Short mmCIF file of all heavy atoms in Angstrom, two decimals:
data_model
loop_
_atom_site.label_atom_id
_atom_site.label_comp_id
_atom_site.label_asym_id
_atom_site.label_seq_id
_atom_site.Cartn_x
_atom_site.Cartn_y
_atom_site.Cartn_z
N ASN K 110 2.29 -15.05 -10.71
CA ASN K 110 2.77 -15.93 -9.64
C ASN K 110 2.76 -15.27 -8.27
O ASN K 110 3.54 -15.64 -7.39
CB ASN K 110 4.19 -16.44 -9.96
CG ASN K 110 4.24 -17.19 -11.27
OD1 ASN K 110 3.38 -18.02 -11.55
ND2 ASN K 110 5.24 -16.91 -12.10
N GLY K 111 1.88 -14.28 -8.10
CA GLY K 111 1.76 -13.61 -6.82
C GLY K 111 0.60 -14.14 -6.00
O GLY K 111 -0.06 -15.12 -6.36
N ASN K 112 0.35 -13.49 -4.89
CA ASN K 112 -0.79 -13.85 -4.04
C ASN K 112 -1.36 -12.60 -3.40
O ASN K 112 -0.68 -11.58 -3.28
CB ASN K 112 -0.37 -14.88 -2.98
CG ASN K 112 0.77 -14.40 -2.11
OD1 ASN K 112 0.59 -13.61 -1.19
ND2 ASN K 112 1.99 -14.88 -2.41
N VAL K 113 -2.64 -12.69 -3.03
CA VAL K 113 -3.32 -11.55 -2.44
C VAL K 113 -4.04 -12.00 -1.17
O VAL K 113 -4.64 -13.09 -1.13
CB VAL K 113 -4.31 -10.90 -3.43
CG1 VAL K 113 -5.37 -11.88 -3.89
CG2 VAL K 113 -4.96 -9.64 -2.83
N LEU K 114 -3.96 -11.19 -0.15
CA LEU K 114 -4.56 -11.47 1.16
C LEU K 114 -5.89 -10.75 1.30
O LEU K 114 -6.00 -9.57 0.95
CB LEU K 114 -3.61 -11.01 2.26
CG LEU K 114 -4.17 -10.91 3.68
CD1 LEU K 114 -4.32 -12.31 4.28
CD2 LEU K 114 -3.25 -10.05 4.57
N ASP K 115 -6.90 -11.44 1.83
CA ASP K 115 -8.13 -10.80 2.25
C ASP K 115 -8.05 -10.67 3.77
O ASP K 115 -8.21 -11.66 4.49
CB ASP K 115 -9.35 -11.64 1.86
CG ASP K 115 -10.67 -10.95 2.20
OD1 ASP K 115 -10.66 -10.04 3.05
OD2 ASP K 115 -11.70 -11.33 1.61
N PRO K 116 -7.76 -9.48 4.30
CA PRO K 116 -7.54 -9.33 5.74
C PRO K 116 -8.79 -9.50 6.58
O PRO K 116 -8.71 -9.55 7.80
CB PRO K 116 -6.98 -7.92 5.86
CG PRO K 116 -7.51 -7.19 4.69
CD PRO K 116 -7.58 -8.20 3.58
N ARG K 117 -9.95 -9.58 5.94
CA ARG K 117 -11.17 -9.81 6.72
C ARG K 117 -11.17 -11.18 7.36
O ARG K 117 -11.65 -11.36 8.49
CB ARG K 117 -12.40 -9.67 5.81
CG ARG K 117 -12.62 -8.26 5.29
CD ARG K 117 -13.75 -8.22 4.29
NE ARG K 117 -13.46 -9.03 3.11
CZ ARG K 117 -14.26 -9.10 2.04
NH1 ARG K 117 -15.39 -8.44 2.02
NH2 ARG K 117 -13.92 -9.85 1.00
N ASP K 118 -10.64 -12.19 6.64
CA ASP K 118 -10.66 -13.56 7.18
C ASP K 118 -9.31 -14.26 7.09
O ASP K 118 -9.20 -15.44 7.42
CB ASP K 118 -11.72 -14.39 6.47
CG ASP K 118 -11.51 -14.48 4.96
OD1 ASP K 118 -10.41 -14.13 4.49
OD2 ASP K 118 -12.44 -14.93 4.26
N GLY K 119 -8.28 -13.54 6.62
CA GLY K 119 -6.95 -14.13 6.55
C GLY K 119 -6.73 -15.04 5.35
O GLY K 119 -5.66 -15.63 5.23
N SER K 120 -7.70 -15.13 4.46
CA SER K 120 -7.56 -16.00 3.29
C SER K 120 -6.53 -15.43 2.33
O SER K 120 -6.44 -14.21 2.14
CB SER K 120 -8.90 -16.15 2.57
OG SER K 120 -9.85 -16.80 3.38
N ILE K 121 -5.77 -16.30 1.70
CA ILE K 121 -4.77 -15.91 0.71
C ILE K 121 -5.09 -16.60 -0.61
O ILE K 121 -5.29 -17.82 -0.65
CB ILE K 121 -3.35 -16.27 1.18
CG1 ILE K 121 -3.02 -15.53 2.48
CG2 ILE K 121 -2.32 -15.93 0.10
CD1 ILE K 121 -1.68 -15.93 3.09
N TYR K 122 -5.16 -15.82 -1.67
CA TYR K 122 -5.50 -16.33 -2.99
C TYR K 122 -4.34 -16.12 -3.96
O TYR K 122 -3.51 -15.22 -3.77
CB TYR K 122 -6.73 -15.61 -3.54
CG TYR K 122 -7.95 -15.72 -2.64
CD1 TYR K 122 -8.24 -14.71 -1.72
CD2 TYR K 122 -8.77 -16.83 -2.69
CE1 TYR K 122 -9.34 -14.80 -0.89
CE2 TYR K 122 -9.88 -16.94 -1.87
CZ TYR K 122 -10.16 -15.93 -0.96
OH TYR K 122 -11.24 -16.04 -0.13
N LYS K 123 -4.28 -16.93 -4.99
CA LYS K 123 -3.34 -16.68 -6.07
C LYS K 123 -3.74 -15.37 -6.74
O LYS K 123 -4.90 -14.98 -6.71
CB LYS K 123 -3.38 -17.82 -7.09
CG LYS K 123 -2.90 -19.16 -6.54
CD LYS K 123 -2.97 -20.24 -7.61
CE LYS K 123 -2.49 -21.57 -7.09
NZ LYS K 123 -2.57 -22.64 -8.13
N ALA K 124 -2.78 -14.71 -7.36
CA ALA K 124 -3.09 -13.41 -7.96
C ALA K 124 -2.14 -13.09 -9.10
O ALA K 124 -1.03 -13.60 -9.18
CB ALA K 124 -3.02 -12.30 -6.91
N LYS K 125 -2.63 -12.24 -9.98
CA LYS K 125 -1.79 -11.69 -11.04
C LYS K 125 -2.28 -10.28 -11.33
O LYS K 125 -3.41 -9.91 -10.99
CB LYS K 125 -1.85 -12.56 -12.30
CG LYS K 125 -3.20 -12.61 -12.99
CD LYS K 125 -3.11 -13.48 -14.24
CE LYS K 125 -4.41 -13.49 -15.03
NZ LYS K 125 -4.31 -14.32 -16.25
N MET K 126 -1.44 -9.47 -11.96
CA MET K 126 -1.80 -8.11 -12.31
C MET K 126 -1.43 -7.87 -13.77
O MET K 126 -0.48 -8.45 -14.29
CB MET K 126 -1.05 -7.09 -11.43
CG MET K 126 -1.24 -7.29 -9.95
SD MET K 126 -0.50 -5.96 -8.91
CE MET K 126 1.23 -6.06 -9.40
N THR K 127 -2.19 -6.98 -14.41
CA THR K 127 -1.90 -6.61 -15.80
C THR K 127 -1.95 -5.10 -15.92
O THR K 127 -2.94 -4.46 -15.56
CB THR K 127 -2.93 -7.23 -16.76
OG1 THR K 127 -2.95 -8.65 -16.58
CG2 THR K 127 -2.54 -6.93 -18.21
N LEU K 128 -0.86 -4.53 -16.41
CA LEU K 128 -0.77 -3.09 -16.62
C LEU K 128 -1.24 -2.75 -18.03
O LEU K 128 -0.90 -3.44 -18.99
CB LEU K 128 0.69 -2.64 -16.44
CG LEU K 128 0.99 -1.14 -16.51
CD1 LEU K 128 0.36 -0.41 -15.32
CD2 LEU K 128 2.50 -0.92 -16.53
N SER K 129 -2.03 -1.69 -18.15
CA SER K 129 -2.49 -1.27 -19.47
C SER K 129 -1.31 -0.71 -20.27
O SER K 129 -0.33 -0.23 -19.69
CB SER K 129 -3.58 -0.20 -19.35
OG SER K 129 -3.07 0.96 -18.73
N PRO K 130 -1.39 -0.76 -21.62
CA PRO K 130 -0.28 -0.24 -22.44
C PRO K 130 0.09 1.20 -22.14
O PRO K 130 1.26 1.58 -22.25
CB PRO K 130 -0.80 -0.41 -23.87
CG PRO K 130 -1.74 -1.58 -23.78
CD PRO K 130 -2.42 -1.41 -22.44
#
Side-chain angles (χ1 to χ4, degrees):
N110 301 316
N112 56 79
V113 60
L114 166 75
D115 184 340
R117 294 174 298 184
D118 59 14
S120 296
I121 299 174
Y122 303 95
K123 294 180 179 179
K125 66 179 184 179
M126 304 187 301
T127 304
L128 185 67
S129 63

